[in-house]
Amino acid sequence: MNNESFSSLKASILTALSADNPHKTAALINEFLIAFPDRPEPLYFDGLRALLAGDNIKAKERLSLALGFDPGNINVLLNLAVAHQRTGELGLAIAYYCSARQIDPKNLQVLINLGSCYYQAESYQLSKETFYQALKLDEGNAVCLSGLADIDRAKGNWRRAIQFYKKAVAVEPNNELANNNLALMYLNLQNHELAQEAAKKAIEKNPDNIDAHVALGRSLIAREDYEAAMDVFAAAFERNQDHAELISQIGSNFLNVGDHSEASSWFNKALSIEAGHPTAIIGMAQALDKHDLHRQGIELLKEHEETLNRRPHYWSTLSDLYWNEGQADDALECLYEAKKLAPQQASLYSKIGNILSSSGNVEGAEKSFYKALEEQEHCISAISGLATLKKSGLDSHHVATAERLILESSIADGGRASLHNALSYYYAGKKNFEKAAFHMQQSNALQWNSKVRQGWEYDTQKHIENVRHQKRVFSKQQIVSNIQFGHPSRMPVFIVGMPRSGTTLTEQILARHPAVLGVGEKNYAIIALQAYQNLYAKKYGIKPRVANDQCLTEPDGELLTRVAEEYLTTLQEQIDKANKPDVQFVVDKMPDNYLNIGWLKLLFPNACIIHARRDLRDVAMSCWQTQFGMIRWACHIDHLVARFEGYLEIMKHWRDAFSGGFLETDYEHLVEDQEAGSKRLIEYIGLPWDESCLRFYESDRLVRTASITQVRQPIYSTSVAKWAPYEPFIPKLINPLSDLMLSYR
């Protein structure tokens, strides 16, 4: 055929390709191949057709043949590079792009594709240099600007990334990808209003952009608008029911509102679509955490560390799990790993500050909180952390910021609760107790509203019923008749009482003895009880509900020994981890074990139990001012008072039933005469006195406690009768507890 036929067929193929007419394109290319078998053009067009159809394998084959005919054809090189890039053969793709660039150093498309390929290969410096070369050819190229933003985002330079994305959007206001990524950057920096704005622009450009819907939903979640977020997710799900990230975020939102089973089903759905999907795996770990299965959550995340360890959220979640498990050192290390990946994420510095506060490292904590405020001027968690540390010494401009932010409607209830809490510490330090009391009340009301939206509830009657149930199951007669069934070990030591009653101080004094290891607050007792109940039900072939009580009233010595041995193995693992082979006693200071003294005595009848007591009004005031993450009864006065009533009732029962079966210590007496109180503790567990117990505050242990710096300071008396100045301003809390004090001692 002649040149006229060649040109005519070539033009027809280009027209068919432009019209996206695959059948006509295929027919014309076949005709072209038959007519001109020795020319590179038919092979090139056949390769290009395959590339457009997503058949990258065939595209590579046909384009390679075309390149053999014409090694210097820049279009063949460019599309062959694209095919290799799509199949993950980045080294070959880069080689072909570089060959094309040598032929035409000013080819904009080649430079853009090469910069993108370098980025995909994580060769960020080469990618950056290539995009800058492209910008010399086209100063306002939105793709290049977005590419530079992507590099900064990957390297954790989020603010610079935002500037590049904003430039890209300025050039192309409807640039879908730039707006989408801009929304994600604002989310990372906790600027939720701007995140919403950018996500909405991306959705306006392309309603099928599921990633933008996800970003919009996440920004609404951050503002605690869970219903609106679910509406956004539902609309996106109607468009795409196989988007693993969307489905994972739906699961996360169900987790936010306390529907854990529904959350898990969505996480599983995401994993069925994409095995090992990061958000789904992290969400499953968070669901385990919600059920107090912290160890299982840690194990799940550790299984996927190799694939998830480049994600700050992975390390932050792992840190939360370690913290809730009481492993403060590991929690801190995880946050340091997260910080390497996201150095501009203010919340990470706040979390680090909180853990350093817990260890008594005030200087380090302050630096972390101030660093958080450098990264984000209005970082609420950092302002709150500083206020807890510095109290009346909180910088005046931070006080002004807190008072201004409280009035902003864009701040969610949880954030405003933290700000009020910060101001309560500030005004308490200033001895303006009326203002401090006002901010405590506001903080607790807002926190309760926030937590209710997350599925929180608290039934005061249920706690009383639990108390009465414990009294029935562990009657004095039952205790006397069943005391011989348990394990004889004296290794476990339990400190029980109400939160903020001195449990941490008591543990610190004991743990300074070389023969004692403190492990913080552990749920080992409940885990052991559940294991025993399950084994009992299986052995006797009865329903778990029946076994739950029968196993306690008609105990099985063999099963108790088995469960106790597993318990002791867990304690020995803690000793080995601490590298303290001389330890004889392991102290668990889970306060709520006051409800489980009957079970503890059944399992370990020789174990030492220490009941840490303190003036109820001081305990209540401390709880009222502390923003607990897990305790559900501390931010509502009616719940608080009812909790104390149940606590007093069960402790009176244990006192009568056991008759000297545990030691009771008073915080006020310990403050008045630390040495006598400390010696009494050491003598009770059966150890010789060690002077280091008087220097409990010198311990280098990281302590998971709300007491913060108190565990790193000598005992002081200012924490006694702290309730008194608040009596005129919080009578509904103080007065009922004053009445209860009559039956406390």
Side-chain angles (χ1 to χ4, degrees):
M1 297 181 74
N2 56 32
N3 288 336
E4 183 178 344
S5 299
F6 179 89
S7 299
S8 176
L9 271 172
K10 185 176 176 180
S12 297
I13 291 169
L14 288 170
T15 300
L17 283 168
S18 300
D20 194 19
N21 189 334
H23 295 296
K24 187 172 183 180
T25 302
L28 288 168
I29 288 174
N30 284 333
E31 185 181 343
F32 205 13
L33 285 166
I34 293 168
F36 299 98
D38 297 327
R39 297 289 299 268
E41 287 86 350
L43 292 168
Y44 167 69
F45 282 125
D46 199 26
L48 182 59
R49 178 178 66 85
L51 192 65
L52 292 172
D55 189 348
N56 298 308
I57 303 299
K58 184 175 181 180
K60 289 189 290 186
E61 175 198 338
R62 306 305 277 171
L63 291 169
S64 294
L65 289 172
L67 191 65
F69 281 98
D70 187 4
N73 189 312
I74 194 168
N75 290 324
V76 176
L77 285 166
L78 179 59
N79 286 291
L80 185 55
V82 170
H84 281 289
Q85 186 176 355
R86 285 182 180 178
T87 56
E89 299 166 289
L90 302 181
L92 282 171
I94 288 170
Y96 286 124
Y97 283 134
C98 287
S99 296
R101 184 175 60 177
Q102 285 182 340
I103 294 168
D104 185 359
K106 295 186 177 182
N107 187 303
L108 182 62
Q109 192 60 55
V110 169
L111 290 172
I112 289 173
N113 285 19
L114 179 57
S116 170
C117 199
Y118 277 137
Y119 172 80
Q120 193 175 340
E122 298 185 8
S123 298
Y124 298 132
Q125 186 57 38
L126 289 172
S127 178
K128 182 178 178 180
E129 291 170 1
T130 306
F131 281 130
Y132 273 121
Q133 288 177 24
L135 283 174
K136 290 179 181 178
L137 302 174
D138 185 0
E139 185 177 351
N141 188 284
V143 176
C144 292
L145 292 167
S146 290
L148 290 169
D150 290 340
I151 294 167
D152 279 320
R153 181 181 65 173
K155 295 173 70 176
N157 300 323
W158 292 346
R159 284 192 173 77
R160 194 160 62 184
I162 285 174
Q163 295 309 311
F164 278 118
Y165 284 132
K166 287 171 73 174
K167 288 180 180 179
V169 170
V171 174
E172 294 182 16
N174 293 323
N175 187 305
E176 178 187 342
L177 184 60
N179 276 306
N180 191 59
N181 289 335
L182 192 56
L184 293 175
M185 288 295 92
Y186 282 133
L187 277 174
N188 287 335
L189 292 174
Q190 298 177 318
N191 194 328
H192 306 122
E193 287 184 279
L194 291 177
Q196 283 187 50
E197 182 182 326
K200 285 177 179 177
K201 285 183 179 178
I203 293 169
E204 287 173 10
K205 175 65 177 175
N206 179 11
D208 290 325
N209 184 338
I210 304 301
D211 291 333
H213 283 87
V214 168
L216 179 57
R218 286 178 58 196
S219 68
L220 290 166
I221 287 171
R223 298 181 65 177
E224 298 181 8
D225 198 345
Y226 305 116
E227 289 187 16
M230 197 60 82
D231 289 342
V232 170
F233 291 149
F237 187 68
E238 288 180 6
R239 295 177 178 275
N240 188 337
Q241 298 184 15
D242 295 312
H243 193 286
E245 180 62 22
L246 169 64
I247 291 168
S248 297
Q249 291 294 340
I250 292 172
S252 294
N253 204 30
F254 274 115
L255 206 59
N256 288 330
V257 297
D259 194 339
H260 303 156
S261 60
E262 189 70 17
S264 295
S265 70
W266 284 91
F267 293 138
N268 282 320
K269 180 176 174 63
L271 292 170
S272 70
I273 294 169
E274 182 183 331
H277 185 74
T279 306
I281 293 295
I282 292 171
M284 291 290 272
Q286 290 171 327
L288 289 167
D289 190 36
K290 297 285 187 182
H291 288 284
D292 293 331
L293 300 174
H294 317 305
R295 175 53 51 188
Q296 291 89 327
I298 291 167
E299 290 171 358
L300 175 62
L301 290 180
K302 296 296 284 184
E303 285 175 19
H304 294 82
E305 181 173 345
E306 187 174 345
T307 55
L308 300 182
N309 64 9
R310 296 289 299 166
R311 296 173 176 269
H313 190 38
Y314 165 81
W315 291 109
S316 180
T317 302
L318 187 57
S319 173
D320 291 341
L321 284 159
Y322 275 129
W323 181 248
N324 290 336
E325 181 67 6
Q327 296 177 224
D329 293 282
D330 293 318
L332 191 60
E333 287 303 315
C334 288
L335 290 176
Y336 288 141
E337 290 296 326
K339 188 181 70 170
K340 292 177 188 176
L341 299 170
Q344 292 181 308
Q345 190 166 326
S347 61
L348 294 176
Y349 296 100
S350 289
K351 284 187 171 186
I352 290 170
N354 287 329
I355 294 180
L356 292 176
S357 294
S358 180
S359 71
N361 184 348
V362 175
E363 183 179 353
E366 283 190 29
K367 284 182 179 178
S368 288
F369 290 135
Y370 281 125
K371 179 63 177 174
L373 289 166
E374 279 181 29
E375 297 298 337
Q376 183 187 339
E377 183 182 0
H378 300 152
C379 181
I380 292 172
S381 57
I383 293 173
S384 179
L386 280 173
T388 307
L389 280 180
K390 299 172 74 68
K391 299 180 176 61
S392 61
L394 185 66
D395 296 343
S396 58
H397 71 278
H398 290 145
V399 175
T401 298
E403 292 181 327
R404 176 173 55 80
L405 289 174
I406 281 172
L407 302 176
E408 292 190 7
S409 60
S410 61
I411 304 296
D413 282 351
R416 289 195 293 143
S418 293
L419 291 166
H420 277 293
N421 186 250
L423 292 171
S424 78
Y425 279 103
Y426 172 75
Y427 285 112
K430 291 287 188 182
K431 300 191 183 306
N432 188 335
F433 299 111
E434 184 174 10
K435 266 197 168 182
F438 167 78
H439 285 292
M440 289 180 202
Q441 190 277 328
Q442 293 294 311
S443 175
N444 281 295
L446 288 164
Q447 185 181 19
W448 180 249
N449 290 341
S450 173
K451 294 298 187 181
V452 165
R453 283 198 293 275
Q454 297 174 40
W456 267 32
E457 58 183 23
Y458 183 74
D459 187 343
T460 57
Q461 189 58 36
K462 188 174 290 187
H463 180 247
I464 295 297
E465 288 172 2
N466 188 17
V467 166
R468 307 281 162 79
H469 178 260
Q470 292 291 322
K471 289 169 66 176
R472 286 193 302 271
V473 172
F474 292 104
S475 66
K476 186 170 185 177
Q477 182 180 353
Q478 286 286 349
I479 290 168
V480 171
S481 60
N482 294 332
I483 198 74
Q484 77 277 9
F485 284 100
H487 195 286
S489 174
R490 297 185 68 249
M491 179 188 287
V493 176
F494 302 97
I495 302 172
V496 304
M498 292 296 281
R500 313 312 306 272
S501 63
T503 55
T504 299
L505 174 61
T506 304
E507 185 212 29
Q508 288 290 97
I509 291 170
L510 290 170
R512 283 294 288 164
H513 197 289
V516 179
L517 175 67
V519 294
E521 299 175 9
K522 299 295 184 184
N523 59 356
Y524 297 159
I526 292 298
I527 292 172
L529 176 58
Q530 292 168 346
Y532 174 56
Q533 290 169 333
N534 292 335
L535 289 170
Y536 194 97
K538 185 176 181 181
K539 180 174 179 176
Y540 292 98
I542 57 179
K543 293 181 179 180
R545 183 177 297 179
V546 176
N548 287 352
D549 284 354
Q550 187 175 315
C551 69
L552 301 174
T553 57
E554 301 174 24
D556 183 304
E558 183 269 329
L559 293 182
L560 280 172
T561 299
R562 180 174 165 185
V563 170
E565 291 289 355
E566 291 176 0
Y567 195 115
L568 294 171
T569 297
T570 301
L571 297 188
Q572 187 59 52
E573 289 172 356
Q574 293 285 337
I575 294 171
D576 295 341
K577 183 178 179 180
N579 194 25
K580 291 186 175 181
D582 296 330
V583 162
Q584 301 173 40
F585 298 96
V586 179
V587 181
D588 178 345
K589 72 176 189 76
M590 175 63 77
D592 272 0
N593 274 333
Y594 73 81
L595 283 164
N596 304 312
I597 288 178
W599 161 242
L600 298 178
K601 279 294 187 181
L602 178 62
L603 186 62
F604 294 110
N606 298 322
C608 292
I609 299 176
I610 301 166
H611 175 210
R613 304 190 300 186
R614 185 183 180 189
D615 187 311
L616 288 182
R617 295 161 296 189
D618 277 332
V619 175
M621 278 304 307
S622 188
C623 289
W624 187 239
Q625 192 175 19
T626 301
Q627 281 197 308
F628 294 106
M630 307 293 285
I631 295 177
R632 300 189 175 201
W633 47 262
C635 52
H636 194 293
I637 285 179
D638 291 342
H639 299 167
L640 245 168
V641 173
R643 190 78 181 188
F644 279 89
E645 289 173 345
Y647 155 71
L648 290 176
E649 181 177 342
I650 192 63
M651 287 312 304
K652 183 179 185 302
H653 171 72
W654 299 135
R655 195 176 295 117
D656 295 341
F658 282 107
S659 184
F662 52 89
L663 177 71
E664 297 194 274
T665 64
D666 293 303
Y667 180 83
E668 294 79 10
H669 294 168
L670 194 56
V671 169
E672 184 180 349
D673 191 341
Q674 180 196 349
E675 183 171 352
S678 300
K679 285 182 175 179
R680 183 167 175 249
L681 288 169
I682 299 301
E683 181 183 0
Y684 172 64
I685 65 172
L687 287 172
W689 173 245
D690 191 295
E691 289 290 330
S692 61
C693 295
L694 295 176
R695 301 186 301 278
F696 64 90
Y697 49 87
E698 293 180 356
S699 172
D700 58 359
R701 292 173 58 232
L702 284 179
V703 183
R704 185 190 184 282
T705 176
S707 304
I708 307 182
T709 56
Q710 292 179 8
V711 298
R712 293 294 178 264
Q713 297 175 4
I715 288 178
Y716 51 90
S717 60
T718 56
S719 56
V720 175
K722 289 186 73 173
W723 61 269
Y726 293 100
E727 186 173 17
F729 311 116
I730 321 177
K732 289 184 179 181
L733 179 62
I734 302 297
N735 292 344
L737 296 179
S738 294
D739 294 337
L740 285 172
M741 286 292 291
L742 298 175
S743 61
Y744 182 44
R745 294 292 189 261

